[in-house]
Amino acid sequence: MKGKKIGKILINILVILGCCIYLFPVYLIIVNAFKSRAELYENILAFPKHITWEYFAGALEKMDFVRAFGNSIIVTAISVIIIVILSAMTAWMFVRSNGKLSNFLLNLLIVTMLIPFQTIMMPLMQEMHLFGNIFGVPFQDSLGGLIFMYIGAGAGMGVFLFHGFIKASVPVSLEEAAIIDGCSIWRVFWQIVFPILKPITVTVAILDVIWIWNDYLLPSLTLTSNANKTIPLAMSLFFGQYNIEWNMAMAALTFTIVPVIIFYLLCQKHIIKGVAAGAVKG
C-alpha cells in the first residue's frame, strides 16, 4: 500500500511539473506585458516592479484591436459553422452509402490532412487569383476568400472525425424508424442524427477555432489591407525590421489568447468524449 501511495505521489508531482513547464510561456507573456522595455530586458522572469496598464492601451491602439478582433471573429465563426455543417452532412452520407466511390472520396479527404500546407500555398494563391479573374469574385484581400479557403482546408479533418463518430454511435435503425414515420432525409439528419453528434461537433469546433483564430500563414498570404487584418496579422506590427516592442506585443498576446481559453473552458467536457468516439472507435 505504501508503495502504491508513493507511486501516486510521484506521478502527481510529474504531472504538476509538466503543467508548470507547459504553462511557463503563458506566465512570461502575462508578466512581461506589465513591464517597461528597460525592466523587461533586465529580467524577463521577475515580476514587474510597478503594475501599469499603459502598454495594454498602447497595444490596443496601435494594432487597431477592435477592428482586428471583429475580423477574426467573423472569419473564425463563419468558417467553423460551415465546416461543421458540411463535414457532418458529408460524413453521414459517406457512412450510409458505403460504396466504392464514397470510400475513395473519404480516403481522398483524409489524404489532404497529410499534405503540408507550405507545399501547396503558392499554387493555391495562383488558383484563387485565377478564379477571382474568371468569376469576378475577390478571393484575395477579402474575408470571404479567406473563409472559403479555410473551409476547404478544414474539411478533411472534420469529415474524418464525424465519419468515425457516426459509424460507431449512430444506429441505422434509428434513422429507418424515423423514415417509416414519415420523416424526409433532411429532417432525419437535422432532427435525429445531428443532435446525437453534439460531442464530436464540439470537438471539431474547438480544434478549428484554435487553428483558425491563431493562424498567421494563410491570412498573411491572402489579406493585404489594414481594414481586413486579423489579430495574428495585426500582431506583426510590433515586430519591425530594426525594432521589436516586446512589452506591447506581450500585452496584445494576452488579449489574443483570452477568447480561445474562455471558449475551450466552456466546451472542454465534450472534447475527450468526442475525440475518443470519433478517432478510436471509428
Side-chain angles (χ1 to χ4, degrees), residues 74-152:
I74 291 171
V75 170
T76 303
I78 296 177
S79 299
V80 170
I81 290 172
I82 296 177
I83 288 172
V84 165
I85 292 174
L86 294 183
S87 298
M89 297 174 75
T90 303
W92 181 56
M93 294 307 297
F94 282 168
V95 173
R96 294 300 175 244
S97 57
N98 197 28
K100 291 184 178 179
L101 180 60
S102 298
N103 291 332
F104 171 77
L105 293 175
L106 174 63
N107 291 328
L108 187 63
L109 281 172
I110 293 175
V111 167
T112 62
M113 298 168 55
L114 308 177
I115 302 175
F117 178 75
Q118 290 80 358
T119 62
I120 62 171
M121 61 183 185
M122 296 312 297
L124 176 63
M125 292 302 105
Q126 294 173 352
E127 190 174 298
M128 291 299 102
H129 180 70
L130 179 62
F131 284 172
N133 292 335
I134 293 175
F135 299 105
V137 179
F139 283 103
Q140 293 184 317
D141 197 23
S142 165
L143 296 182
L146 181 60
I147 291 170
F148 180 80
M149 284 182 271
Y150 273 133
I151 293 170

Side-chain angles (χ1 to χ4, degrees), residues 193-240:
V193 176
F194 196 70
I196 301 175
L197 302 181
K198 182 180 178 181
I200 194 64
T201 298
V202 175
T203 299
V204 173
I206 289 173
L207 296 175
D208 285 336
V209 164
I210 294 173
W211 159 50
I212 296 173
W213 183 268
N214 295 314
D215 186 41
Y216 174 83
L217 182 56
L218 189 53
S220 69
L221 296 171
T222 307
L223 306 176
T224 56
S225 62
N226 291 329
N228 289 329
K229 284 188 175 181
T230 57
I231 285 181
L233 285 184
M235 285 289 304
S236 63
L237 294 174
F238 303 109
F239 300 92

